[in-house]
Amino acid sequence: MLSRRHFLGASLATTVYAAGSFVPVWAQNAPNFGMPTLPSPGFRRMKVGDVEVIALNDGITRRPLGEEFVKNAPLAEVRALLASQNLPTDYIDVPYTPFLVVAGARKILIDTGLGEFGGPTTGKLLDSLRAAGMQASDIDTVLVSHYHGDHINGIRNKAGELVFPKAKVMVPAAEHAFWMDDARMAAAPAGMKGAFDNVRRTFATMPADTLVRFEAGTEVAPGIQSVAAYGHTPGHTLFELKSAGQNFFYVADLTNVPALFARNPDWAVTFDMDAEAARKVRREVFARITASNAMLGGFHFPFPAFGRMAASGNGYAFQPAA
């Protein structure tokens, strides 16, 4: 069981996008930095062997950059790294990008965004899906990387209806076991109760023939392997797609803003529940990806959210696809 220290470290991350009208601490009385510009169109296609992968932008949140965002580095150092890349130093833009795998007749969505539960610049997944020529009813499988709200809130709407009515929803067994544990929920600090409630809102009444638990390391769909990457959450899972000699690695929340946490893989974002485990797996996975020169996609990467990772100094630099 995670310690209270881990719970407290994760409370901000997991309550930001809980169901309802929760306003995160950082958004209260925050300076007005303007609105982020959303990509148009909100999708980008890419071929991986015989398969098509489509990045589907769900929106962007702009949040002030404070001491709490990077837990183990001085704010001045964080701002200096952003400035060295010609990025703003007073705020952070955090994109949300699920990915769709189109393999023959199969349409497999990886993560679901914020749905109807985020702010005005989020919840764009269905618009992006329609722009790419598809509907929610076309999705036959939803793969979930972990249970933070920005990855699962798109599964149901505010009326409680399943947004992807024909889809099997496949979830990491370790992640499901953690969040559905009544004892852990009871032991969690008040600031984290909303995250547990949100998981139950999403999954507790899901039909047994819809919810599918899988063990990390197993194949979840033809050519798609699940990969354990525990640390960000207790069951955080990545997905590796292989087709016709090519591969694509969906890294979910292995790193938040890559301009910070890929460049400095030892830095810990406020959302990591076990920062040390997250740090270790971040370095392991990035080393593996750069060694193989695989294409990768990240949920919080700048749109189009896929590209390649190259070694840079003590870390890695994200090189977006053209």
Side-chain angles (χ1 to χ4, degrees):
M1 183 178 295
L2 289 185
S3 68
R4 182 171 178 80
R5 175 175 60 84
H6 287 130
F7 269 134
L8 291 171
S11 60
L12 174 64
T14 51
T15 52
V16 167
Y17 301 116
S21 57
F22 176 82
V23 178
V25 173
W26 56 261
Q28 298 171 11
N29 302 315
N32 182 8
F33 291 114
M35 302 286 275
T37 301
L38 302 186
S40 180
F43 71 94
R44 181 75 68 86
R45 302 178 188 274
M46 176 184 64
K47 288 291 288 184
V48 179
D50 297 327
V51 173
E52 184 176 52
V53 178
I54 307 175
L56 297 166
N57 183 255
D58 185 57
I60 302 171
T61 295
R62 178 165 292 176
R63 55 171 293 156
L65 177 62
E67 295 278 359
E68 84 292 338
F69 193 69
V70 183
K71 294 192 293 186
N72 60 342
L75 182 58
E77 191 173 333
V78 175
R79 285 179 167 158
L81 179 58
L82 291 171
S84 72
Q85 300 171 77
N86 298 313
L87 295 171
T89 59
D90 292 329
Y91 64 84
I92 291 288
D93 279 349
V94 181
Y96 311 95
T97 304
F99 287 80
L100 179 67
V101 177
V102 181
R106 298 290 305 274
K107 294 181 176 62
I108 302 164
L109 180 66
I110 309 177
D111 286 334
T112 67
L114 288 155
E116 297 178 347
F117 300 94
T121 57
T122 67
K124 310 302 182 184
L125 171 62
L126 296 182
D127 291 339
S128 297
L129 187 64
R130 284 189 287 269
M134 280 162 279
Q135 306 291 327
S137 58
D138 295 330
I139 306 302
D140 60 75
T141 304
V142 172
L143 300 179
V144 173
S145 65
H146 66 291
Y147 279 10
H148 281 169
D150 50 338
H151 295 256
I152 64 172
N153 280 0
I155 292 174
R156 292 186 187 270
N157 58 25
K158 285 187 175 180
E161 301 162 332
L162 292 171
V163 173
F164 307 100
K166 298 179 181 178
K168 298 283 187 185
V169 179
M170 302 187 66
V171 303
E175 186 79 352
H176 191 80
F178 177 88
W179 292 102
M180 297 299 288
D181 186 290
D182 292 337
R184 286 191 174 102
M185 182 174 181
M192 202 173 171
K193 299 292 188 186
F196 280 92
D197 287 337
N198 191 50
V199 168
R200 283 159 168 73
R201 174 193 70 83
T202 305
F203 296 107
T205 61
M206 189 170 287
D209 61 349
T210 298
L211 183 65
V212 179
R213 300 172 185 82
F214 63 84
E215 298 293 336
T218 59
E219 188 177 63
V220 293
I224 302 179
Q225 191 87 4
S226 59
V227 179
Y230 304 161
H232 178 65
T233 66
H236 182 245
T237 299
L238 316 180
F239 300 101
E240 184 174 17
L241 165 67
K242 295 182 179 181
S243 175
Q246 298 182 13
N247 61 331
F248 168 78
F249 219 115
Y250 173 68
V251 298
D253 282 12
L254 184 74
T255 173
N256 197 275
V257 178
L260 293 177
F261 304 102
R263 289 294 183 99
N264 272 297
D266 298 325
W267 283 2
V269 71
T270 188
F271 310 128
D272 285 342
M273 294 177 68
D274 185 334
E276 178 58 17
R279 181 192 71 80
K280 288 180 178 178
V281 77
R282 184 157 46 244
R283 282 203 170 276
E284 290 168 2
V285 172
F286 280 155
R288 174 182 170 185
I289 288 174
T290 53
S292 66
N293 197 34
M295 185 73 71
L296 82 163
F299 189 75
H300 295 299
F301 284 26
F303 201 77
F306 52 66
R308 301 189 189 275
M309 199 67 74
S312 177
N314 188 43
Y316 301 89
F318 176 59
Q319 301 173 332

